[in-house]
Amino acid sequence: MFLHSVNLWNLAFYVFMVLLATLGLWDVFFGFEENKCSMSYMFEYPEYQKIELPKKLTKRYPAYELYLYGEGSYAEEHKILPLTGIPVLFLPGNAGSYKQVRSIGSIALRKAEDIDFKYHFDFFSVNFNEELVALYGGSLQKQTKFVHECIKAILKLYKGQEFAPTSVAIIGHSMGGLVARALLTLKNFKQDLINLLVTQATPHVAPVMPLDRFITEFYMTVNNYWILNAQHINLTTLSVAGGFRDYQVRSGLTFLPKLSHHTSALSVVSSAVPKTWVSTDHLSIVWCKQLQLTTIRAFFDLIDADTKQITQKPKKKLSVLTHHFLRHPAKQFEENPSIISDLTGTSMWVPVKVSRWTYVAYNESDKIYFTFPLANHRKIYTHAYCQSTMLDTNSWIFGCINSTSMCRQGVDLSWKSELLPTIKSLTLRLQDYPSLSHIVVYVPSVHGSKFVVDCEFFKKETRSIPLPVTHLFSFGLSSRKAVLNANGLYYNIELLNFGQIYQGFKVNVVSKCSASKEEITSIYKLHIPWSYEDSLTIAQVPSSTEISLKLHVAQPENDTNVALLKMYTSSDCQYEVTIKTSFPQILGQVVRFHGGALPAYVVSSILLAYGGQLFSLFSTGYCLEYSIMLDKEAKPYKVDPFVIMIKFLLGYKWFKELWDAVLLPELDAIVLTSQSMCFPLVSLILFLFGTCTAYWSGLLSSTCVQLLSSLWLALKRPAELPKDIKVISPDLPVLIVVFLIVSWTTCGALAILLSYLYYVFKVVHLQASLMTFKNSQPVNPKHSRRSEKKSNHHKDSSVQSLRLSANDAEDSLRMHGTMINLLAWVVLLNMPSLIYWLKNLRYYFKLNPDPCKPLAFLLIPAMAILGNTHTVSVKSSKLLKTASQFPVPLAVGVIAFGSSHLYRVPCFVIIPLLFHALCNFM
């Protein structure tokens, strides 16, 4: 019945929208690099020693525990407290286990063994009982307070030691990082208790899915505190994102707000972290060996030799994190590096006067200094570039000041170099170093190892090639090309007009090389100057390499920097770079950034169709099919223009003051604009996706009712249409009271689900009764329905039949089908708190706080009454016209206030349902 009421054009449109959504979902869930993380293994059996907490604390937080991680002999030795190391506290995230600490804890233990336990870290981990805090925010404050108690308990374990710590370092995964930031909001919390905060895949900006008001309020409390108290917060914070592999928490949410006063916060994507250079998914970020090694190296460099604890110097902490996570110069970290180095000893000095030079070192017995005089090069070239394939941490390039051919001391330029996977490189703008007379490249004596050093001088304009990106709506049909013919070592492809999150491109780099027996490697690095989200691609040339271009963070309005594709190439090869728009990646960005708002658009479309059905019932006396009304009423122009108009008016002071005076919440569109998440036409795209989803969910609910009614008839004796229509049956008040008691004593979402199942049962029973009635009729069903409908429509509306006809039953089922679909989304949005309650049932019988309880007290009576409601009992109601007019403005309200706050969506749904229920009595 449902499919028959849809014309082929509409059906083709809905299928087409499914294909587009599939393309976007494929890009989000599969359109990224393979997992290149190495697994971190334990060399000894991991042990988790439970730390005894005060009984009062255990009673207050029965589901939470604190553990100390250890392996082998270390674990045995530390079963006898107190401890002597440096405390680090690991906080798991949503559904995370305290055992996730083992990867970083094991690597730290191996590192301590390498230095004979001169320093070592004690890794603690909190067991949050794997709570689903991303779905239910009511326990976030409780977790925060427990962590505060854990920190105090940890520090007590070191009392009486010579180098007893006064603070702890915290590593927070996912929501654990947000809980760590929330510690500063506690009244009695001392900021000095934390000396360092590292968060991994933590959504700092906003919740991934704002499913209840407790999550949103928690975020507002934390972020507002950090913004208002930025100049008083001295906590060094590092946020690491997983990149495009992490589809659970998009990387844009992990970037800490850039505040003018808070300069000790860094945010970076794992693909940009030196010596890591891989994207991680949401779970692998805690065990990715490359990333954990980088983290532990930084931790050991942060140790103060005098206190044998993590340094208290903010400047050093920031320098260490910058060195290991942002730009690694291929040298060991030094707090105060010596800029001037001695260039003495028995070494050869070889002058080089050419502009391009290559030296292959193999079994060198003598140290060699190659000197490049700059006097002549300054007249012709603007830049110097050098690279070496020897990836040791020794200084390798220097600058001589006012020297003729050699110098005893030189400026160590190695600190300006950059480490890449296969080379370390240095690019110098000559005018920045006017006092240098020579550049000196140092080649040490090597035995058995081979490496290559290259240098060249060039003009910037010959190596900076502008390449405007293709238009958004070119759909990959057109492309732009840049050819590199100069045979240089380094190029910058300037990606003009690339700075918005809704853009997506495919770049194809084709390399053609002269005959060479040796394997040649090229590196293509996408550099985003306004955020640390660089990514690298390593290619064996000659080859054809495809690179995806899309952003985690949009370019700020006042930023004039240009995104670059840095190409570290071979002088023996020629390269051709082609860029074209990738439509699947654009759809992927829409899903990635706005997919969470889809339920709001689905509900908005269903509300429009529901309002159309109510108006049809009022104006014609019968209810049209859901799919017909969805096609007729669910139009973007009924919603979007009003949202755009309100957003425009809020730009005026008088309207904003009026808005605030009536206590209306902030418009979600303004929230998205503040987060640089506004796409052109994104609301239209989402509305079309929402309408398509509303159609298919309606088809699914209709099919389920048909199947359940058939099953009912197969298991039970045939039912009959009710002879008398009773809105309030004798058992209904009792049932409502029972559901309300369930809501009050256990969980509101459970009561809503039970009420919904009761409602579905009533509709299935009605469907089964109608099927029985039709099967018992000997006449042509079409002729019967037509004649019955005709006679029914010409009846006096003031006369209500107490008996339910087949036509009235069909009308009622059409209305019920829409409400089942609508209520299914309401139930779905309330399910997270039910899942949380079920998971913690052994600790708490009553969910407190309960985000669904106020909704349940309104929705349960409405659903119970609507389960007994038929169109014949409401079509003559004086309230029906008013009820039919409510869904349209509420559909606008859902988009205006619910797209970024999904927990508000059921509040808009309950209003027309209540009016519909009241139509039975007025």
Side-chain angles (χ1 to χ4, degrees):
M1 181 183 290
F2 192 94
L3 280 172
H4 291 313
S5 61
V6 183
N7 65 52
L8 290 177
W9 286 111
N10 288 340
L11 187 60
F13 168 75
Y14 293 136
V15 172
F16 176 68
M17 293 306 297
V18 168
L19 292 176
L20 291 184
T22 304
L23 282 176
L25 290 169
W26 183 91
D27 181 73
V28 171
F29 292 107
F30 305 102
F32 41 70
E33 65 182 58
E34 62 181 7
N35 193 350
K36 297 178 182 177
C37 279
S38 300
M39 177 64 78
S40 51
Y41 294 98
M42 285 81 253
F43 290 89
E44 297 177 275
Y45 190 78
E47 293 186 34
Y48 306 89
Q49 180 183 348
K50 186 176 178 180
I51 303 298
E52 292 296 328
L53 298 172
K55 289 184 178 179
K56 185 179 179 181
L57 197 62
T58 306
K59 189 176 181 180
R60 194 187 311 163
Y61 306 102
Y64 300 161
E65 297 168 320
L66 177 65
Y67 288 87
L68 171 65
Y69 176 80
E71 294 177 17
S73 58
Y74 170 87
E76 290 297 322
E77 291 171 6
H78 288 81
K79 283 182 180 178
I80 304 172
L81 303 173
L83 304 173
T84 58
I86 304 167
V88 180
L89 179 59
F90 176 80
L91 303 180
N94 176 58
S97 169
Y98 66 95
K99 294 182 179 181
Q100 289 174 313
V101 72
R102 63 183 176 269
S103 295
I104 194 166
S106 181
I107 291 172
L109 187 59
R110 302 283 83 79
K111 178 77 172 175
E113 287 177 348
D114 291 343
I115 58 174
D116 295 326
F117 284 93
K118 180 182 178 182
Y119 311 112
H120 74 273
F121 290 90
D122 299 319
F123 276 83
F124 297 85
S125 184
V126 174
N127 178 17
F128 285 134
N129 191 36
E130 300 183 11
E131 287 183 337
L132 303 170
V133 287
L135 303 181
Y136 169 75
S139 62
L140 285 168
Q141 190 67 20
K142 185 168 59 175
Q143 287 190 359
T144 306
K145 292 178 179 179
F146 180 73
V147 171
H148 183 199
E149 299 297 333
C150 286
I151 292 172
K152 292 189 286 187
I154 288 169
L155 293 177
K156 285 180 182 178
L157 299 176
Y158 295 85
K159 273 193 172 180
Q161 298 302 306
E162 184 181 357
F163 298 100
T166 58
S167 58
V168 302
I170 294 181
I171 299 176
H173 172 239
S174 188
M175 295 298 286
L178 187 71
V179 168
R181 286 180 63 215
L183 286 167
L184 274 64
T185 66
L186 298 178
K187 289 182 179 179
N188 300 321
F189 185 79
K190 296 178 181 178
Q191 192 184 136
D192 296 340
L193 291 176
I194 309 176
N195 53 44
L196 178 68
L197 173 58
V198 177
T199 67
Q200 299 173 335
T202 296
H204 292 293
V205 177
V208 177
M209 293 288 283
L211 295 170
D212 66 53
R213 63 183 179 86
F214 303 122
I215 296 179
T216 306
E217 288 172 359
F218 189 80
Y219 265 89
M220 286 181 64
T221 301
V222 174
N223 287 332
N224 287 344
Y225 181 89
W226 279 62
I227 291 170
L228 296 174
N229 299 276
Q231 53 189 334
H232 304 299
I233 295 176
N234 297 318
L235 176 59
T236 303
T237 308
L238 171 70
S239 175
V240 183
F244 287 109
R245 280 194 63 84
D246 188 352
Y247 50 78
Q248 294 185 46
V249 177
R250 61 177 180 84
S251 297
L253 291 176
T254 68
F255 279 68
L256 292 160
K258 294 180 179 179
L259 305 173
S260 57
H261 301 292
H262 190 204
T263 57
S264 55
L266 299 175
S267 302
V268 63
V269 179
S270 61
S271 59
V273 175
K275 294 191 176 183
T276 301
W277 296 306
V278 296
S279 177
T280 65
D281 60 54
H282 196 63
L283 291 179
S284 68
I285 198 169
V286 299
W287 57 255
C288 182
K289 187 176 181 181
Q290 296 96 312
L291 183 59
Q292 302 310 325
L293 281 170
T294 299
T295 305
I296 291 303
R297 291 189 200 106
F299 270 46
F300 275 88
D301 281 343
L302 284 165
I303 297 174
D304 188 316
D306 296 328
T307 63
K308 293 191 176 181
Q309 296 293 326
I310 288 179
T311 181
Q312 297 296 325
K313 302 175 184 176
K315 187 176 179 181
K316 180 181 178 180
K317 284 190 270 192
L318 201 62
S319 298
V320 170
L321 295 179
T322 301
H323 176 94
H324 287 283
F325 287 91
L326 300 188
R327 185 182 176 90
H328 199 296
K331 287 180 65 67
Q332 298 286 357
F333 174 79
E334 295 179 25
E335 186 176 358
N336 298 302
S338 55
I339 302 301
I340 305 299
S341 299
D342 293 328
L343 307 179
T344 56
T346 56
S347 304
M348 293 176 58
W349 288 77
V350 180
V352 180
K353 297 183 178 180
V354 295
S355 61
R356 183 178 298 154
W357 168 83
T358 299
Y359 184 79
V360 180
Y362 184 69
N363 282 336
E364 298 293 331
S365 58
D366 297 322
K367 302 174 183 177
I368 307 175
Y369 288 108
F370 292 95
T371 63
F372 297 81
L374 299 179
N376 291 328
H377 289 315
R378 289 182 189 278
K379 299 175 183 177
I380 307 172
Y381 306 108
T382 60
H383 287 70
Y385 172 81
C386 290
Q387 65 181 35
S388 172
T389 60
M390 188 173 189
L391 302 181
D392 63 350
T393 57
N394 296 317
S395 296
W396 65 286
I397 188 165
F398 308 89
C400 287
I401 300 174
N402 299 325
S403 173
T404 53
S405 59
M406 59 181 288
C407 55
R408 292 184 178 275
Q409 289 186 325
V411 178
D412 192 348
L413 299 175
S414 306
W415 292 103
K416 302 289 184 181
S417 60
E418 180 183 12
L419 178 66
L420 294 168
T422 58
I423 60 171
K424 53 186 177 183
S425 67
L426 174 67
T427 304
L428 295 177
R429 191 168 71 160
L430 297 180
Q431 70 179 49
D432 292 341
Y433 301 89
S435 60
L436 294 186
S437 59
H438 291 73
I439 291 176
V440 179
V441 175
Y442 171 61
V443 176
S445 58
V446 291
H447 301 282
S449 60
K450 179 181 177 181
F451 67 95
V452 181
V453 183
D454 297 280
C455 286
E456 66 175 354
F457 293 85
F458 61 86
K459 286 184 177 180
K460 181 184 177 182
E461 54 268 25
T462 63
R463 300 301 174 85
S464 296
I465 302 173
L467 181 62
V469 298
T470 48
H471 194 271
L472 180 69
F473 296 109
S474 62
F475 300 110
L477 300 176
S478 62
S479 62
R480 291 197 171 99
K481 188 182 295 184
V483 180
L484 284 57
N485 287 320
N487 296 330
L489 299 171
Y490 173 73
Y491 292 88
N492 276 332
I493 306 295
E494 299 177 351
L495 302 169
L496 304 180
N497 306 319
F498 176 50
Q500 302 302 323
I501 53 175
Y502 55 80
Q503 293 176 301
F505 304 97
K506 281 186 179 179
V507 173
N508 192 41
V509 182
V510 178
S511 54
K512 298 177 182 178
C513 306
S514 56
S516 176
K517 296 181 181 179
E518 295 185 3
E519 192 177 73
I520 302 173
T521 301
S522 292
I523 300 173
Y524 313 133
K525 178 180 179 180
L526 175 63
H527 174 60
I528 309 300
W530 55 85
S531 66
Y532 294 105
E533 54 177 285
D534 297 2
S535 58
L536 281 79
T537 303
I538 302 173
Q540 303 298 327
V541 295
S543 64
S544 177
T545 306
E546 192 174 90
I547 305 169
S548 294
L549 295 188
K550 49 196 174 191
L551 294 171
H552 297 291
V553 178
Q555 185 174 15
E557 288 184 7
N558 299 323
D559 195 301
T560 57
N561 291 305
V562 178
L564 300 173
L565 180 62
K566 294 186 174 184
M567 301 183 64
Y568 300 86
T569 57
S570 170
S571 57
D572 297 326
C573 303
Q574 291 186 340
Y575 297 81
E576 185 178 275
V577 182
T578 306
I579 187 169
K580 61 181 179 181
T581 300
S582 173
F583 189 59
Q585 289 190 54
I586 293 172
L587 292 173
Q589 290 293 80
V590 172
V591 173
R592 184 175 288 109
F593 283 84
H594 292 279
L598 185 62
Y601 284 87
V602 176
V603 171
S604 180
S605 295
I606 300 174
L607 277 174
L608 291 172
Y610 176 48
Q613 284 183 316
L614 289 174
F615 186 76
S616 170
L617 188 63
F618 165 74
S619 58
T620 65
Y622 62 93
C623 182
L624 289 176
E625 284 281 357
Y626 166 73
S627 55
I628 295 174
M629 296 312 300
L630 187 70
D631 175 49
K632 182 180 178 182
E633 299 293 334
K635 304 297 182 184
Y637 61 78
K638 292 188 176 183
V639 175
D640 282 345
F642 295 99
V643 177
I644 295 169
M645 189 186 306
I646 295 169
K647 182 183 175 183
F648 173 76
L649 289 173
L650 282 170
Y652 291 95
K653 186 178 179 181
W654 64 269
F655 191 81
K656 183 70 169 70
E657 290 175 351
L658 180 63
W659 186 272
D660 294 337
V662 293
L663 303 177
L664 287 171
E666 189 174 23
L667 200 68
D668 281 0
I670 293 177
V671 176
L672 295 178
T673 303
S674 67
Q675 296 176 8
S676 301
M677 282 178 55
C678 279
F679 287 28
L681 304 178
V682 67
S683 188
L684 173 62
I685 296 169
L686 287 172
F687 195 94
L688 296 177
F689 280 149
T691 305
C692 172
T693 308
Y695 167 77
W696 291 111
S697 66
L699 176 61
L700 179 63
S701 61
S702 175
T703 304
C704 288
V705 168
Q706 293 278 354
L707 291 174
L708 288 172
S709 59
S710 299
L711 183 64
W712 175 273
L713 291 175
L715 298 176
K716 302 266 297 183
R717 65 180 182 179
E720 295 181 356
L721 287 173
K723 296 180 179 179
D724 297 319
I725 298 172
K726 293 182 180 180
V727 177
I728 304 294
S729 57
D731 60 339
L732 192 63
V734 177
L735 197 64
I736 292 173
V737 170
V738 170
F739 287 152
L740 291 176
I741 291 173
V742 169
S743 173
W744 183 262
T745 57
T746 58
C747 173
L750 174 65
I752 290 174
L753 177 62
L754 294 175
S755 302
Y756 178 70
L757 293 176
Y758 168 77
Y759 178 76
V760 172
F761 165 75
K762 296 292 289 185
V763 176
V764 168
H765 186 270
L766 179 62
Q767 177 71 46
S769 302
L770 182 62
M771 290 171 67
T772 303
F773 177 80
K774 286 185 175 181
N775 292 335
S776 65
Q777 298 300 306
V779 296
N780 186 338
K782 290 184 179 180
H783 177 74
S784 175
R785 281 200 301 270
R786 193 180 302 115
S787 60
E788 189 175 8
K789 187 177 293 185
K790 187 176 180 182
S791 62
N792 225 26
H793 293 163
H794 288 84
K795 271 197 303 185
D796 184 5
S797 60
S798 63
V799 180
Q800 290 193 14
S801 174
L802 297 176
R803 187 177 179 84
L804 186 68
S805 66
N807 181 63
D808 290 327
E810 285 185 347
D811 268 5
S812 298
L813 284 170
R814 292 190 193 105
M815 186 66 75
H816 284 308
T818 303
M819 288 190 289
I820 281 180
N821 189 17
L822 183 60
L823 288 167
W825 285 93
V826 173
V827 171
L828 194 64
L829 289 172
N830 287 290
M831 278 300 97
S833 61
L834 175 61
I835 296 169
Y836 177 90
W837 175 75
L838 289 171
K839 196 173 185 302
N840 291 273
L841 193 55
R842 56 178 172 167
Y843 300 107
Y844 312 103
F845 186 72
K846 181 179 180 180
L847 184 62
N848 186 32
D850 189 347
C852 302
K853 191 173 291 181
L855 178 69
F857 274 76
L858 293 173
L859 194 57
I860 289 170
M863 277 197 287
I865 294 171
L866 289 172
N868 288 341
T869 298
H870 302 283
T871 54
V872 69
S873 62
V874 299
K875 66 173 65 177
S876 60
S877 171
K878 296 177 181 178
L879 199 60
L880 182 59
K881 183 178 181 181
T882 304
S884 68
Q885 293 171 343
F886 265 98
V888 175
L890 291 172
V892 176
V894 166
I895 303 303
F897 302 108
S899 55
S900 294
H901 300 82
L902 292 177
Y903 63 88
R904 293 174 182 166
V905 172
C907 302
F908 289 95
V909 173
I910 188 64
I911 297 172
L913 293 178
L914 286 173
F915 273 89
H916 189 170
L918 289 173
C919 285
N920 289 283
F921 311 104
M922 298 177 67

